[in-house]
């Protein structure tokens, strides 16, 4: 026979060695004679060095040229010590109805090469690569399948204090406060005059790369030393546009200035990073100091930076052990007119450690539009860290300091939409035609609609739905998550509005369902979970998901998306209820507004019981602390423009009355009840920054700066009692395995008396939590009966009404409580709870 060689490469796409201990085999639809076969054969696929600085797996087979035109399928299997195997292709085939995972190629009768990129972290963007002679070069690559021509252009920066305003050369340090430039106008103003454009070459799959022999790049690793750049793209209609690198590791600018394509000669710091130049970065280096007055900074190796990452304080390994603090970095820095930074966040860590918090969940920090003062959900660049918050290296310092204190770091990521105005980022990247808007889902042709916008897809987000059917789009999201995991050492992710991705997609023109978008979105979420767990099986994954679809929390090995838990918003609506969420208990709101009125403790008990089913539960989150519509308390609190009327927990608990005297006492007591039933539930507990000290100011998405509060100072003053309570009850959960288990039983509910009691237990411990939102205490005892309690002895081990928390010490004083035949009497404080531990229950 006449045979040709087909070379197969499996490329993880990250720097360094990954998947230690794994041996790989290539499997495909051919036999040992090189003919097509329905019975797949396998050959060893040994490790090899990849030109991206990482490892790959490589194998070759011979195919008979008589198989010309035949389509073959192939894949890779990992074999682990002990006999376990994993199918290593994470990407599903293009069919939206299928979950099958393999790669295909059509044999053209010649020697061929087939590559599978698990991620594109080192494939696209600006990266160093290893030449055939072993030396290092720099390669730029961008996906632009509809482009006619692509060129790499470098931007200019200069010292604005220099009257000559001359662009500096690469690597020349400048004072950060006076750096100017960093923006290329639509007519090319801002391109560095000393560096000619670099034409790029189109390769397979619509990827354009810089040629290895270009003089501007050849042998110059200093190109990765903070050089501003953009891609000049000739779109399919001939129009020339300037586009940022969506795989950029850094975007210039920490402000909100968008020059709109016009000439810009102002300060670099004032630019909005979502529209400014991308910046080259060597990801194997970290700034030597946390903050520097010059740019670029001095660097140390990545290995040297991380060597002291861990101490004897262990990071939680199970999601059941987490107590999560939801934090927006921009809301810190009280007293400053600027958004808070990661430096401010580091200054909060000892405060959080004293609260017995062991996980910090950060609102989105990937580069977003509008400046660091907003929430961050308008993501434009998924590989860059918002420069206004401190940037990529400062983020690494923050994560290391968290890890040294035994705290996990969870990143909030947004894959359901892009920045609403993503010009220079995702929008019309290489074509003006809506149907060729490569990062966006579009149905049919623009000529099918009265308005071209009609073909885009809405998904209850603030922007059009991404094109989840396109593998390159899915891989951009997935690769950015792997970058956060591998390069930044992030411990987990909270994925924003997953129901928008797999369930809410409708045509903009008429609101009709776009089922293919939903199915493709589900495909993306499965690939995301699968890939993340390949790199780190124990990664924490949480979804903001409002469906009951089991696939969301089904393990990836069983065909699911692999999330550990989903946000449980109905728990909040039943517990606090200052939003317009239909028929919910609204306990905190109703208790504050309607004193003495019966409460739907039974409705809340259903939500509480459901916390055993992989739920993240919270008494307050960013969405409900000032950004949701609903019942309001006083006309002065209503946002006249948006009518957003939800509030901070203590404001709800006080009916927006001034927090002085008894009003504060009652409000804090209700807040203690709210967090107590949350942290002692069977869910994974989370609370929003500031709740632990009774923060009052609304956390509104576009009013962060004017609503800052000094949380650490409040912990020493007006919020000291709440802070002490949060610390102690968090420690109670952290120190008792039964309170971290999934076991929960509702043993008693009384709506008129506003009483609820529930049991938490495992094979070592049993606890009973008895809570009340009554306006008066049951100081003489309250009789509770449930046959399942049997007979035995209980002892009070925690009382939310303790004097140290601002209470009246109404409780059982640590006394034994005897239960006979399921009946016992217990003293219950007003708007509070007691925790009883079983001593010898039958």
């Amino acid at each position: 026979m006449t045979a040709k060689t087909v070379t197969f490469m499996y490329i993880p796409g990250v720097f360094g060695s990954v998947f230690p201990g794994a041996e790989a085999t290539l499997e495909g639809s051919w036999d040992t004679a090189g003919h097509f076969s329905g019975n797949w054969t396998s050959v060893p696929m040994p490790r090899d060095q990849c030109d991206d600085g990482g490892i790959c797996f490589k194998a070759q087979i011979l195919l008979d040229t008589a198989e010309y035109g035949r389509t073959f399928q192939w894949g890779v299997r990992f074999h682990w010590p002990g006999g376990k195997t994993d199918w290593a292709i994470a990407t599903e085939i293009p069919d939206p109805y299928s979950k099958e995972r393999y790669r295909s190629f059509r044999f053209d009768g010649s020697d061929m090469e087939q590559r599978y990129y698990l991620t594109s972290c080192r494939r696209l963007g600006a990266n160093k690569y290893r030449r055939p002679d072993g030396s290092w070069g720099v390669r730029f690559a961008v996906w632009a399948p509809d482009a006619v021509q692509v060129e790499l252009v470098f931007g200019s920066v200069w010292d604005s204090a220099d009257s000559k305003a001359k662009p500096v050369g690469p690597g020349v340090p400048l004072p950060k406060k006076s750096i100017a430039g960093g923006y290329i106008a639509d007519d090319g103003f801002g391109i560095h005059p000393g560096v000619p454009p670099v034409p790029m070459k189109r390769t397979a799959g619509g990827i354009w790369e810089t040629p290895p022999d270009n003089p501007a790049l050849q042998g110059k690793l200093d190109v990765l030393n903070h050089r501003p750049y953009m891609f000049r793209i000739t779109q399919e209609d001939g129009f020339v546009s300037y586009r940022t690198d969506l795989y950029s590791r850094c975007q210039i600018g920490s402000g909100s200035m968008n020059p709109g394509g016009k000439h810009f000669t102002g300060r670099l710091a004032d630019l909005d990073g979502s529209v400014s130049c991308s910046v080259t970065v060597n990801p194997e280096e970290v700034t030597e100091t946390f903050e520097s007055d010059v740019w670029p900074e001095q660097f140390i190796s990545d290995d040297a930076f991380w060597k002291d990452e861990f101490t004897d304080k262990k990071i939680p390994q199970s999601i059941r052990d987490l107590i999560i603090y939801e934090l927006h970095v921009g809301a810190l820095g009280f007293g400053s007119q600027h958004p808070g930074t990661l430096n401010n966040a580091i200054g909060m860590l000892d405060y959080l450690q004293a609260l017995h918090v062991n996980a910090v969940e950060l609102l989105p920090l990937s580069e977003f539009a509008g400046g660091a003062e907003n929430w961050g959900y308008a993501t434009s660049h998924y590989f860059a860290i918002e420069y206004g918050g401190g940037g990529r290296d400062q983020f690494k310092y923050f994560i290391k300091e968290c890890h040294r204190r035994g705290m996990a770091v969870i990143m909030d990521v947004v894959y359901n939409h892009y920045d609403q105005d993503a010009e220079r980022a995702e929008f019309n990247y290489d074509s003006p035609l809506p149907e060729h808007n490569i990062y966006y889902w579009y149905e049919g042709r623009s000529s099918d609609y009265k308005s071209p916008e009609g073909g885009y897809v809405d998904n209850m987000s603030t922007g059009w739905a991404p094109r989840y059917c396109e593998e390159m789009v899915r891989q951009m999201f997935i690769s950015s998550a792997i970058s956060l995991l591998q390069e930044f050492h992030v411990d987990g992710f909270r994925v924003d509005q997953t129901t928008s991705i797999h369930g809410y997609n409708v045509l903009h023109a008429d609101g009709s369902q776009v089922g293919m978008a939903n199915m493709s979105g589900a495909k993306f979420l499965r690939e995301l979970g699968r890939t993340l767990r390949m790199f780190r099986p124990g990664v924490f994954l949480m979804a903001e998901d409002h469906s009951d679809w089991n696939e969301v929390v089904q393990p990836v090995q069983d065909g699911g998306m692999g999330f550990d838990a989903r946000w449980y918003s109905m728990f909040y609506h039943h517990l606090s209820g200052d939003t317009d969420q239909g028929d919910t208990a609204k306990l905190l709101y109703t208790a504050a507004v309607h004193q003495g009125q019966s409460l739907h403790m039974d409705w809340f008990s259903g939500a509480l019981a459901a916390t055993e089913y992989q739920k993240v539960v919270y008494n307050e989150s960013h969405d409900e602390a000032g950004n949701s519509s609903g019942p309001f308390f006083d006309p002065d609190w209503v946002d006249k423009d948006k009518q957003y009327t939800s509030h901070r927990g203590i404001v709800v608990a006080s009916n927006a009355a001034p927090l002085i005297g008894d009003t504060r006492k009652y409000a804090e007591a209700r807040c203690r009840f709210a967090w107590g039933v949350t942290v002692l539930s069977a869910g994974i507990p989370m609370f929003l920054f500031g709740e632990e000290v009774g923060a009052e100011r609304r956390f509104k998405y576009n009013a962060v700066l004017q609503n800052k509060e000094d949380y650490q100072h409040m912990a020493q003053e007006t919020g000291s009692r709440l802070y002490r309570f949060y610390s102690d009850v968090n420690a109670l959960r952290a120190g008792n395995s039964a309170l971290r288990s999934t076991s929960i039983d509702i043993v008693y509910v009384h709506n008129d008396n506003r009483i609820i009691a529930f049991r938490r237990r495992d094979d070592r411990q049993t606890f009973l939590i008895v809570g009340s939102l009554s306006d008066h205490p049951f100081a003489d005892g309250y009789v509770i009966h449930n046959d399942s309690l049997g007979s035995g002895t209980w002892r009070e081990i925690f009382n939310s009404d303790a004097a140290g928390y601002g209470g009246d010490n109404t409780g059982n004083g640590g006394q034994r409580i005897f239960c006979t035949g399921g009946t016992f009497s217990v003293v219950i404080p007003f708007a509070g709870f007691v925790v009883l531990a079983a001593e010898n229950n039958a």
Side-chain angles (χ1 to χ4, degrees):
M1 75 171 185
T2 303
K4 295 295 182 179
T5 300
V6 182
T7 301
F8 296 86
M9 296 181 68
Y10 180 97
I11 303 172
V14 298
F15 189 78
S17 182
V18 291
F19 309 129
E23 295 183 355
T25 53
L26 169 68
E27 301 182 10
S29 58
W30 52 78
D31 61 20
T32 55
H35 297 136
F36 179 85
S37 173
N39 296 317
W40 287 28
T41 57
S42 65
V43 296
M45 200 175 196
R47 289 174 181 254
D48 200 355
Q49 288 293 318
C50 195
D51 65 2
D52 63 7
I55 61 100
C56 64
F57 298 87
K58 189 174 181 179
Q60 293 181 327
I61 65 163
L62 295 176
L63 289 183
D64 193 328
T65 54
E67 298 292 337
Y68 170 82
R70 174 82 73 171
T71 298
F72 291 87
Q73 289 84 43
W74 64 281
V76 176
R77 188 177 302 277
F78 285 165
H79 302 260
W80 302 96
K84 181 177 178 291
T85 68
D86 288 316
W87 188 244
I89 303 295
T91 310
E92 297 179 5
I93 64 174
D95 182 355
Y97 295 95
S98 176
K99 295 182 181 180
E100 290 188 277
R101 292 177 283 136
Y102 56 80
R103 309 303 286 177
S104 301
F105 70 97
R106 184 176 180 273
F107 182 47
D108 66 5
S110 64
D111 291 336
M112 301 178 66
E113 183 178 84
Q114 295 297 308
R115 294 187 171 205
Y116 173 68
Y117 290 89
L118 182 59
T119 78
S120 291
C121 297
R122 296 278 177 138
R123 182 188 188 190
L124 298 177
N127 293 288
K128 72 177 189 179
Y129 76 101
R130 196 189 309 274
R131 297 191 181 93
D133 64 3
S135 63
W136 290 103
V138 176
R139 177 171 55 208
F140 291 76
V142 59
W143 180 57
D146 296 314
V148 175
Q149 184 179 5
V150 180
E151 299 166 283
L152 169 69
V153 294
F154 289 98
S156 299
V157 292
W158 59 89
D159 188 350
S160 61
D162 183 354
S163 59
K164 296 181 181 179
K166 182 179 179 181
V168 301
V172 176
L174 293 172
K176 279 187 176 180
K177 292 183 178 180
S178 61
I179 302 176
Y183 183 83
I184 298 175
D186 288 346
D187 63 1
F189 179 85
I191 294 177
H192 199 294
V195 185
V198 179
M200 301 177 73
K201 181 181 179 182
R202 186 184 183 102
T203 64
I207 293 175
W208 298 73
E209 296 180 350
T210 50
D213 57 352
N214 187 277
L217 306 177
Q218 196 169 18
K220 297 180 179 179
L221 279 184
D222 65 355
V223 172
L224 291 180
N225 187 11
H226 291 68
R227 295 284 298 277
Y229 70 99
M230 294 188 82
F231 297 120
R232 182 160 67 188
I233 296 178
T234 303
Q235 299 189 344
E236 63 177 333
D237 65 345
F239 180 78
V240 175
S241 61
Y242 290 88
R243 294 290 181 258
T244 56
D245 180 3
L246 299 183
Y247 278 71
S248 160
R249 294 185 174 93
C250 178
Q251 288 295 118
I252 275 186
S254 54
S256 56
M257 167 73 72
N258 181 353
K262 297 181 174 59
H263 291 197
F264 177 77
T265 58
R267 290 194 325 137
L268 179 149
D270 296 331
L271 278 172
D272 186 330
S274 67
V275 299
S276 64
C277 284
S278 302
V279 181
T280 61
V281 167
N282 185 344
E284 295 149 42
E285 297 178 338
V286 183
T287 53
E288 190 171 19
T289 58
F290 183 84
E291 291 186 317
S292 171
D293 293 330
V294 298
W295 185 87
E297 300 93 339
Q298 297 297 311
F299 297 94
I300 59 175
S301 74
D302 197 60
D303 288 341
F305 173 79
W306 291 112
K307 68 180 181 181
D308 59 346
E309 177 181 6
F310 299 107
T311 65
D312 59 347
K313 297 179 176 65
K314 303 301 181 185
I315 297 171
Q317 298 301 301
S318 167
I319 197 166
R320 301 292 322 163
D321 295 335
L322 298 185
I323 299 175
I324 304 171
Y325 189 80
E326 189 185 22
L327 176 65
H328 179 47
V329 170
L332 302 180
F334 181 78
S336 168
Q337 62 181 343
H338 301 292
T341 66
L342 287 159
N343 194 22
N344 299 132
I346 288 176
M348 286 276 288
L349 294 182
D350 290 341
Y351 165 95
L352 296 182
Q353 192 171 20
L355 271 176
H356 297 282
V357 163
N358 58 16
V360 180
E361 179 178 310
L362 296 171
L363 266 64
L365 269 183
S366 296
E367 184 68 41
F368 54 85
E373 64 269 18
N374 70 43
W375 281 4
Y377 287 89
T379 305
S380 60
H381 295 78
Y382 290 84
F383 293 81
I385 300 299
E386 172 60 44
Y387 211 79
R392 54 179 287 110
D393 288 347
Q394 286 70 24
F395 189 36
K396 291 182 178 181
Y397 274 94
F398 172 79
I399 292 172
K400 183 167 79 168
E401 290 303 315
C402 284
H403 287 175
R404 289 179 58 77
R405 291 166 173 80
M407 296 180 191
V409 177
I410 298 164
M411 186 79 156
D412 197 337
V413 289
V414 186
Y415 303 139
N416 53 305
H417 65 93
Y418 310 109
D419 168 26
Q420 191 171 12
D421 180 16
E423 203 274 332
R424 292 197 163 216
E426 290 83 8
F427 198 74
N428 286 349
Y429 197 82
D430 62 358
S431 172
L433 298 177
E435 51 265 47
H436 290 173
N437 201 349
I438 56 175
Y439 286 96
Y440 293 79
W441 194 288
Y442 196 85
E443 287 285 296
R445 303 184 63 83
S446 52
S447 59
D448 298 337
Y449 304 95
K450 291 181 180 179
S451 168
E453 290 186 348
Y456 288 107
V457 170
D458 298 314
N459 62 9
M460 296 181 68
S461 299
T462 56
W464 310 124
R467 192 187 292 258
Y468 299 117
C469 60
E470 173 56 63
E471 183 177 321
M472 292 298 289
V473 174
R474 302 197 304 272
Q475 192 167 80
M476 179 182 73
F477 293 140
I478 293 167
S479 298
S480 67
I482 295 300
S483 175
L484 289 166
L485 197 72
Q486 292 292 105
E487 185 182 336
F488 291 89
H489 298 197
V490 164
D491 302 288
F493 298 91
R494 179 263 189 189
V495 183
D496 188 58
Q497 260 295 19
T498 50
T499 22
S500 290
I501 297 173
H502 69 73
Y504 291 163
N505 292 289
V506 298
L507 189 65
H508 182 69
D510 59 14
S512 60
Q513 286 284 327
V514 183
M516 288 295 182
N518 288 334
M519 287 188 285
S520 297
K523 183 181 291 289
F524 157 64
L525 291 170
R526 289 191 297 270
E527 292 176 356
L528 173 68
R530 194 178 293 130
T531 309
L532 284 167
R533 295 207 182 276
M534 285 181 67
F535 280 91
R536 193 184 301 174
V539 62
F540 300 127
L541 293 181
M542 287 158 275
E544 184 194 11
D545 198 274
H546 304 301
S547 75
D548 293 321
W549 193 15
N550 184 58
E551 185 171 301
V552 175
V553 291
Q554 191 175 24
V556 293
Q557 60 267 28
D558 297 332
M561 298 172 188
F563 287 97
D564 296 297
R566 66 181 105 203
W567 271 34
Y568 189 24
S569 62
M570 290 307 292
F571 181 89
Y572 168 84
H573 294 307
H574 281 293
L575 174 61
S576 295
D578 66 324
T579 69
D580 61 356
Q581 188 64 39
D583 292 330
T584 53
K586 301 180 175 65
L587 296 186
L588 209 61
Y589 170 77
T590 309
V593 174
H594 303 290
Q595 295 188 15
Q597 178 177 302
S598 176
L599 298 180
H600 278 295
M601 307 300 286
D602 53 346
W603 291 5
F604 174 68
S605 72
L608 181 62
T611 60
E612 67 175 305
Y613 299 114
Q614 296 171 276
K615 310 286 191 184
V616 175
V617 293
Y618 45 90
N619 61 335
E620 193 73 272
S621 80
H622 67 277
D623 275 327
E624 287 83 21
N627 205 57
S628 297
S629 58
F632 57 89
F633 314 94
D634 185 286
D636 292 337
W637 285 82
V638 180
D639 185 318
K640 300 301 191 301
D641 295 324
K642 294 291 186 180
Q643 293 295 300
Y644 290 143
T645 55
S646 60
H647 300 279
R648 282 285 195 166
I650 201 167
V651 177
V652 178
S654 66
N655 192 20
L659 290 167
I660 56 175
D662 283 346
T663 301
R664 174 174 284 278
K665 179 178 180 179
Y666 298 151
E668 287 191 359
R670 291 170 184 144
C671 288
R672 294 195 297 271
F673 172 91
W675 178 239
V677 296
T678 303
V679 73
L680 299 177
S681 76
I684 295 94
M686 182 192 80
F687 61 104
L688 180 67
F689 69 96
E691 289 298 299
E692 72 282 359
V693 290
E696 300 177 48
R697 297 180 182 176
R698 294 169 61 194
F699 181 52
K700 192 164 179 280
Y701 76 98
N702 61 355
V704 173
L705 294 186
Q706 56 265 50
N707 287 320
K708 285 185 179 183
E709 296 182 76
D710 190 346
Y711 310 113
Q712 290 173 278
H713 178 73
M714 292 168 70
Q716 303 300 317
E717 301 291 338
T718 57
S720 61
R721 296 175 298 274
L722 265 181
Y723 181 84
R724 188 178 302 116
F725 163 76
Y726 266 77
S727 176
D728 288 351
V729 76
N730 289 350
L732 181 67
R733 178 185 174 99
N736 291 280
S737 60
L739 296 176
R740 303 192 305 274
S741 74
T742 59
S743 173
I744 186 167
D745 305 301
I746 308 299
V747 300
Y748 185 85
V749 172
H750 198 291
N751 290 348
D752 291 340
N753 291 331
R754 300 181 171 189
I755 303 290
I756 188 168
F758 57 99
R759 178 169 49 197
R760 304 277 281 112
R761 55 185 170 178
D762 63 8
D763 56 0
R764 292 184 293 172
Q765 301 171 308
T766 300
F767 296 97
L768 192 64
I769 296 92
V770 184
S772 167
L773 273 175
S774 174
D775 297 323
H776 60 83
F778 294 91
D780 295 328
Y782 187 93
V783 176
I784 289 176
H785 173 81
N786 187 295
D787 288 342
S788 70
L789 294 174
S791 298
T793 306
W794 301 82
R795 183 187 294 276
E796 180 185 275
I797 63 166
F798 189 91
N799 181 1
S800 72
D801 197 49
Y805 308 145
D808 296 327
N809 268 337
T810 301
N812 303 275
Q815 299 293 320
R816 283 191 172 92
I817 297 171
F818 298 97
C819 181
T820 304
T823 300
F824 68 98
S825 178
V826 59
V827 175
I828 313 173
F830 90 97
F833 65 93
V834 294
V835 181
L836 311 178
E839 292 192 332
N840 60 344
N841 56 317

